[in-house]
């Protein structure tokens, strides 16, 4: 079991920045990858970013060049640095973790993780103009 607690969300204007954090506890060493997904009102859950145990990262196209995922293994904390925020980035952001290596392939992650991975309660991000 892994427990995930997100923080760092808030309200910002278009063009602003936020850094989300996800504190992990429990059997974190068994996780093969961790990442973020989000859900906007009236929309389906969407994979945002992924970092695998080997350090490789993946992003959904709409955030490439603006968001950066990273992790501090000593602190068992996952981060999502979000810059140049746009109104379309508004939503609830969830941290997620998976033990299965097959789930840590980006195309699998985006479909599977939002519904089946370990995940936290989410942190709200609101971007307004």
């Amino acid at each position: 079991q892994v427990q995930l607690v997100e923080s760092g969300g808030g309200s910002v204007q278009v063009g602003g920045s936020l850094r989300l954090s996800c504190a992990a506890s429990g059997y974190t060493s068994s996780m093969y990858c961790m990442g973020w997904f989000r859900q906007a009102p009236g929309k389906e859950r969407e994979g945002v970013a992924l970092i695998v145990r080997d350090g490789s990262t993946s992003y959904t196209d709409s955030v490439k060049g603006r968001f950066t995922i990273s992790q501090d293994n000593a602190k068992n904390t996952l981060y999502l640095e979000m810059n140049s925020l746009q109104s379309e980035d508004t939503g609830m952001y969830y941290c997620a973790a998976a033990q299965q290596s097959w789930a840590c392939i980006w195309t699998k992650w985006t479909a599977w993780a939002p519904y089946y991975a370990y995940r936290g309660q989410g942190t709200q991000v609101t971007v307004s103009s």
Side-chain angles (χ1 to χ4, degrees):
Q1 282 279 8
V2 172
Q3 293 78 43
L4 305 170
V5 179
E6 302 95 336
S7 61
S11 297
V12 296
Q13 292 190 325
V14 170
S17 299
L18 283 172
R19 187 173 84 154
L20 306 183
S21 299
C22 171
S25 60
Y27 292 103
T28 57
S29 61
S30 66
M31 295 300 111
Y32 197 85
C33 64
M34 294 185 70
W36 296 88
F37 67 92
R38 64 188 178 189
Q39 187 166 24
K43 294 187 177 181
E44 294 189 356
R45 298 174 184 180
E46 174 191 29
V48 175
L50 173 68
I51 186 165
V52 185
R53 183 180 288 176
D54 63 1
S56 58
T57 58
S58 301
Y59 300 89
T60 191
D61 286 344
S62 64
V63 309
K64 286 180 179 177
R66 300 189 297 122
F67 290 12
T68 302
I69 188 171
S70 63
Q71 60 185 18
D72 185 331
N73 292 325
K75 295 182 179 180
N76 284 334
T77 302
L78 181 73
Y79 301 100
L80 185 67
E81 187 76 35
M82 305 187 296
N83 298 313
S84 301
L85 283 162
Q86 303 169 4
S87 56
E88 305 85 81
D89 296 318
T90 293
M92 187 68 80
Y93 282 69
Y94 299 88
C95 171
Q99 295 173 294
Q100 304 90 327
S101 58
W102 62 262
C104 299
I105 300 169
W106 177 248
T107 52
K108 298 292 186 182
W109 174 263
T110 56
W112 179 87
Y115 300 95
Y116 301 108
Y118 292 107
R119 59 185 182 270
Q121 294 300 306
T123 185
Q124 177 68 36
V125 172
T126 302
V127 185
S128 58
S129 56

